[in-house]
Amino acid sequence: MNALLKRVWIGLAATLVVSLAAVVAPDHVQINDEGRVHLGAPAPTPTPAPSTAAPAPESTSPPLTRDAVDEVIRTAVGAAGIDPAQGSPTVAAGADSKRTGWTAVRENSTAQSETNAICADLERQGWTLNPNPKGDRPDARSYKRGGWYLVVSTRSNSQAPSTAPAPADAQTHLTLTGIQLNLSDIPLPEITVRIG
């Protein structure tokens, strides 16, 4: 009986790890036809035979520094017609080189158009939309570039950070949250999950 319980707990733990990895970095989780799950950088594709045309290499961005991401945020916020000084950083300068962010209280009537303008500018700056496998929430979009993930979101009073000023009923928090996350540098084991 103990062996059965142990196998059940191991299976649940493996499923939890795979689920969390699929949410954080969906492009680093592969499941093959046999049900084997591989966590980590995508497996290298085999070199095509000389008789076939080689596919164009996917463009990669060099790693970004926190200062560069802070500048990206300021530029995108400015492109939406917002003075970055109207908001405040969510992580103190020099406190953490792998996290950054900016937040401001905005009117509900303009927050969606400002969010769209910020997202359009991020794409202009070379950031790639990182779609959520369950579908993007209408109030949050995720982008990636140079080892960083950047989430643009609007938050109600109940979801706002405790340090942020409380918005009025007709207002919301417009927030950009950046985190440096490079799973390809972390050696992750291959896990087999079999159901049934």
Side-chain angles (χ1 to χ4, degrees):
M1 183 68 173
N2 285 340
L4 176 62
L5 285 175
K6 184 177 179 182
R7 287 175 35 192
V8 168
W9 280 113
I10 290 172
L12 288 173
T15 303
L16 177 63
V17 167
V18 170
S19 299
L20 288 173
V23 169
V24 172
D27 55 340
H28 288 280
V29 178
Q30 298 88 36
I31 302 173
N32 68 14
D33 294 336
E34 299 167 355
R36 292 179 69 81
V37 178
H38 179 75
L39 302 176
T45 54
T47 306
S51 61
T52 63
E58 186 176 328
S59 64
T60 57
S61 299
L64 296 174
T65 63
R66 178 189 161 161
D67 289 342
V69 176
D70 285 339
E71 183 58 32
V72 163
I73 291 172
R74 282 191 293 274
T75 302
V77 167
I82 305 169
D83 179 359
Q86 290 179 342
S88 59
T90 58
V91 179
D96 189 339
S97 64
K98 297 186 181 228
R99 291 186 321 120
T100 190
W102 176 90
T103 188
V105 174
R106 305 303 298 162
E107 298 297 323
N108 284 340
S109 58
T110 60
Q112 189 58 54
S113 63
E114 291 169 343
T115 299
N116 292 342
I118 288 170
C119 291
D121 193 70
L122 289 176
E123 291 175 18
R124 180 196 64 76
Q125 292 186 60
W127 288 73
T128 304
L129 184 64
N130 185 38
N132 182 338
K134 296 181 181 178
D136 276 340
R137 293 183 2 227
D139 61 345
R141 283 181 253 176
S142 171
Y143 290 87
K144 61 184 176 179
R145 179 178 167 217
W148 283 80
Y149 289 83
L150 191 55
V151 178
V152 183
S153 63
T154 53
R155 299 177 181 190
S156 66
N157 244 345
S158 61
Q159 300 168 316
S162 59
T163 57
D169 288 341
Q171 296 177 320
T172 186
H173 280 279
L174 175 57
T175 305
L176 283 82
T177 304
I179 183 167
Q180 187 178 34
L181 184 64
N182 192 350
L183 289 181
S184 63
D185 291 341
I186 303 171
L188 295 173
E190 188 172 297
I191 300 173
T192 302
V193 179
R194 290 192 177 90
I195 301 173

